[in-house]
Amino acid sequence: MSTGSRYSIAVLPGDGIGHEVMPPALEVVEAVAAQHGFAVGWRELPWSCAYHHEHGRMMPEDGTDQLREHDAILLGAVGDPSLPDHVSLWGLLIPIRRAFDLYANIRPALLLPGVESPLRDTSRGIDILVVRENSEGEYSEIGGRFRPGTPEEVAVQEAVFSRRGTKRIIEYAARAAEQRSGRLTSATKSNGIIHSMTFWDEVFHEVMAEHPSVEGRLMHVDALAARFVSHPHDLDVVVGSNLFGDILTDIGAVIVGSMGMAPSANINPDADVPGMFEPVHGSAPDIAGRGIANPIGQIWSASMMLDHLGETAAAATIMEAVRGVLGEGGPRTADLGGSATTADVTAAVLDRIRDSAPQNGARS
Ligand code: NAD
Ligand code: IPM
Ligand code: MN
């Protein structure tokens, strides 16, 4: 906690519901900043598919240099049906992750009280922390087309697993497990993918040997995906490659209520670079423009951002307010079975935050 601090945050609402869930997150951060004695300077950047239609690119050439000047980046979602996804996402989201080597993508799947999971029995709770490799793996530009447009056409896409990249993410996950229950499950597929995944398993064993208090196990990702549904309470920290982590965290989101609930942090724990905080969900073109998107994934991501900046009390105030609203039957959006709007949910969270302030309004 740093009373009097001022943080400079780059705000990228992006596309679709990004524009609807970002204002709630900013309002909520403003409310807790006032209570906890720090200030936030927002710099909103219009980089998006709409920007691409105007400028022929998703962000300016020096976009990531501009972002580097900030303490953190808050992102909504990127992607619009008017532009191919590989153009938009590889023009904005992936380059930001790469520019700052934000190799750890931290994605909690935590079932909050008052939220109904689609799973039948959640009496033992769901509290999974997925640590997704975020810098290499299956997401690589290496590859191409051979004999394009002919019946003999071949597409090649190389997955890249470096020792450095694999080791650092598994180590991060092992340290996270040490802070939690000490259980770490590693998503593998070494029964079918015989080079990169056997390598991943080897590195996992090496890291486990250095963390004797961690109970590590390897599980094939297909079986693990099923465990997310059948035995989520048995899972604690889960580490996976870029693609496996991506898929598992959409499952993680829906078992804790909805795609609209799940937050994430993209961080580089080893370097002084801005982290990027964004919900797990995308731009949801199917509901965009209707004011009904669930803002909680974005608000929760903003809480993770404050936590990362050291404003842990303010981050906790946000989550207490969210828990209060959901746990005590407050408004919820349609994805959670309610009929509230984005604005209704935001207003309820803001009310809770204001109610939590001491009488004189100043808490430090
Ligand atoms: P999506 O996450 O946008 O939507 C999947 C489903 O979840 C949809 O039915 C949507 O309505 C629902 N949903 C998502 N967020 C919600 C919320 N906050 N409240 C209520 N319902 C919500 O995934 P998609 O449809 O595969 O992708 C749409 C676009 O977003 C694509 O262009 C995709 O590439 C992009 N995308 C971007 C990001 C990102 O920027 N981080 C992440 C995922 C997908
Ligand atoms: C996510 C998204 C992105 C990813 C896409 C849009 C490139 O699905 O952040 O989960 O796969 O990393
Ligand atoms: Mn995803």
Side-chain angles (χ1 to χ4, degrees):
M1 156 112 216
S2 38
T3 303
S5 297
R6 183 181 169 85
Y7 301 100
S8 161
I9 310 294
V11 177
L12 281 83
D15 300 297
I17 62 165
H19 291 278
E20 299 167 46
V21 295
M22 185 61 84
L26 305 190
E27 278 186 75
V28 163
V29 171
E30 290 283 354
V32 295
Q35 271 181 27
H36 289 268
F38 62 91
V40 182
W42 307 111
R43 178 166 170 229
E44 187 166 330
L45 297 158
W47 306 340
S48 61
C49 292
Y51 184 94
H52 191 287
H53 292 311
E54 206 176 315
H55 302 276
R57 47 190 310 136
M58 292 296 291
M59 63 174 160
E61 217 163 333
D62 67 346
T64 55
D65 293 332
Q66 293 189 40
L67 294 174
R68 197 182 293 275
E69 294 160 19
H70 298 276
D71 296 308
I73 303 159
L74 193 60
L75 180 94
V78 180
D80 185 85
S82 64
L83 199 65
D85 277 346
H86 70 276
V87 173
S88 54
L89 277 312
W90 278 80
L92 188 57
L93 179 76
I94 308 278
I96 299 172
R97 289 178 179 166
R98 295 280 156 93
F100 305 122
D101 198 17
L102 304 175
Y103 70 81
N105 193 340
I106 312 304
R107 298 186 152 188
L110 172 64
L111 180 62
L112 296 182
V115 177
E116 204 179 332
S117 165
L119 304 184
R120 189 177 56 232
D121 177 13
T122 53
S123 55
R124 283 167 286 182
I126 303 177
D127 183 1
I128 306 172
L129 186 74
V130 178
V131 175
R132 170 190 179 191
E133 204 295 317
N134 210 31
S135 67
E136 52 175 44
E138 304 85 351
Y139 288 51
S140 109
E141 321 69 329
I142 303 176
R145 298 279 182 101
F146 181 60
R147 298 199 167 135
T150 70
E152 294 77 36
E153 185 163 4
V154 175
V156 175
Q157 172 87 45
E158 299 284 2
V160 176
F161 287 81
S162 67
R163 177 167 288 282
R164 172 173 173 265
T166 306
K167 192 158 188 207
R168 67 184 179 177
I169 196 65
I170 297 174
E171 263 171 358
Y172 183 93
R175 288 195 299 271
E178 283 165 350
Q179 306 291 314
R180 292 170 50 109
S181 76
R183 284 178 297 127
L184 174 61
T185 306
S186 173
T188 185
K189 191 60 195 167
S190 48
N191 55 355
I193 301 176
I194 60 170
H195 300 301
S196 55
M197 282 296 128
T198 50
F199 173 71
W200 174 278
D201 294 357
E202 258 172 58
V203 175
F204 181 71
H205 289 305
E206 282 172 31
V207 175
M208 284 302 92
E210 290 162 13
H211 294 266
S213 67
V214 176
E215 186 194 318
R217 63 175 168 175
L218 287 159
M219 198 174 278
H220 294 304
V221 68
D222 46 353
L224 178 55
R227 293 294 282 188
F228 266 65
V229 175
S230 64
H231 294 71
H233 47 273
D234 272 356
L235 296 166
D236 182 25
V237 180
V238 170
V239 64
S241 68
N242 212 330
L243 179 63
F244 293 173
D246 178 46
I247 297 168
L248 292 173
T249 51
D250 267 31
I251 303 177
V254 293
I255 62 173
V256 300
S258 154
M259 277 312 299
M261 287 298 292
S264 84
N266 302 260
I267 58 169
N268 181 332
D270 314 325
D272 183 19
V273 289
M276 178 164 68
F277 300 81
E278 50 164 344
V280 170
H281 67 72
S283 56
D286 56 339
I287 59 162
R290 294 165 55 195
I292 57 165
N294 186 344
I296 293 175
Q298 184 82 60
I299 290 172
W300 194 334
S301 302
S303 167
M304 289 182 82
M305 176 182 81
L306 292 182
D307 207 29
H308 191 70
L309 292 171
E311 298 295 345
T312 49
T317 300
I318 293 179
M319 291 317 296
E320 277 159 31
V322 169
R323 281 171 184 274
V325 169
L326 295 171
E328 289 166 33
R332 61 206 64 217
T333 42
D335 56 310
L336 294 180
S339 57
T341 62
T342 310
D344 296 333
V345 175
T346 308
V349 172
L350 286 168
D351 279 349
R352 287 260 164 188
I353 289 172
R354 289 181 192 122
D355 288 350
S356 71
Q359 222 62 57
N360 65 9
R363 195 205 273 185
S364 61

